Amino acid sequence: MPHTVVAVNIDIREERPSDHGSVRELNVKAFPTDAEARLVDLLREDTRPLISLVAVADGRVAGHILFSPVRVEKAPRSALVLGLGPMAVTPERQRQGIGSRLVREGLERSRGLQAAAVVVLGHLEYYPRFGFQPARPAGLYFRAPEMDPYFFVLELEPGALGALSGEVRYPPPFDRV
């Protein structure tokens, strides 16, 4: 595994409307298709609450992370569960700790919204380092069983997972890209 260089002069802040073009360009560069870029655009339009953070390095957007509410099949009405993603770091800035800083700050903001838990469909080796655990043993699953190894949950409110179970459904924009 290549050595990770930790980025220093990185500012993590809320995304501003003036960042939209840079975030779109970042997502197009970071992923094989423009699906994630289109997804971010759609989620901004009608999904609340939304946590959308950027990492700024040398005056330029170098990373972006989004958290949006998901529905859990069996959950108390008051339980807020957020889905992490998409997250992207510009290719030339990867492996510098930017993604980790975005995840940590996003999780702190999720706690600030009193979210019960956060789910993510993502990398097997990456998300467990933040405390995420496989979702299926916790009673949560994504609609595609073949994704079980990549679907994780992090309990933010102690005991919250005991009240959550069943299929996790992402906001409608996820089905439109």
Side-chain angles (χ1 to χ4, degrees):
M1 174 188 276
H3 179 66
T4 299
V5 179
V6 177
V8 286
N9 304 318
I10 301 292
D11 180 36
I12 308 290
R13 62 168 171 75
E14 288 184 28
E15 179 191 36
R16 301 173 184 151
S18 60
D19 297 322
H20 291 185
S22 298
V23 168
R24 183 170 228 304
E25 181 182 328
L26 164 69
N27 279 292
V28 167
K29 282 184 186 176
F31 293 102
T33 72
D34 72 343
E36 282 81 3
R38 288 184 290 119
L39 175 60
V40 169
D41 291 343
L42 289 169
L43 287 167
R44 269 193 212 110
E45 289 175 18
D46 63 1
T47 307
R48 300 286 177 269
L50 188 71
I51 298 171
S52 187
L53 303 174
V54 292
V56 179
D58 302 322
R60 299 187 54 142
V61 172
H64 175 254
I65 194 167
L66 197 102
F67 291 76
S68 56
V70 296
R71 284 193 352 254
V72 178
E73 187 174 16
K74 294 177 186 162
R77 225 177 246 277
S78 62
L80 173 62
V81 180
L82 296 173
L84 184 168
M87 179 183 73
V89 174
T90 192
E92 61 271 14
R93 290 284 192 164
Q94 291 178 0
R95 300 202 176 285
Q96 294 180 8
I98 294 171
S100 294
R101 289 193 49 201
L102 283 165
V103 170
R104 286 188 186 97
E105 181 65 23
L107 292 174
E108 279 307 306
R109 303 239 181 160
S110 298
R111 285 181 182 92
L113 290 176
Q114 298 179 324
V118 173
V119 295
V120 64
L121 189 59
H123 238 243
L124 283 169
E125 288 92 36
Y126 190 74
Y127 290 99
R129 75 172 82 164
F130 303 102
F132 283 89
Q133 62 185 15
R136 177 72 74 168
L140 300 173
Y141 61 90
F142 185 66
R143 67 177 176 241
E146 66 274 12
M147 300 309 284
D148 277 358
Y150 310 100
F151 194 54
F152 298 95
V153 64
L154 175 64
E155 181 179 68
L156 297 180
E157 182 182 297
L161 288 180
L164 304 173
S165 65
E167 184 179 354
V168 175
R169 295 186 187 104
Y170 281 78
F174 280 83
D175 294 327
R176 296 199 307 255
V177 294

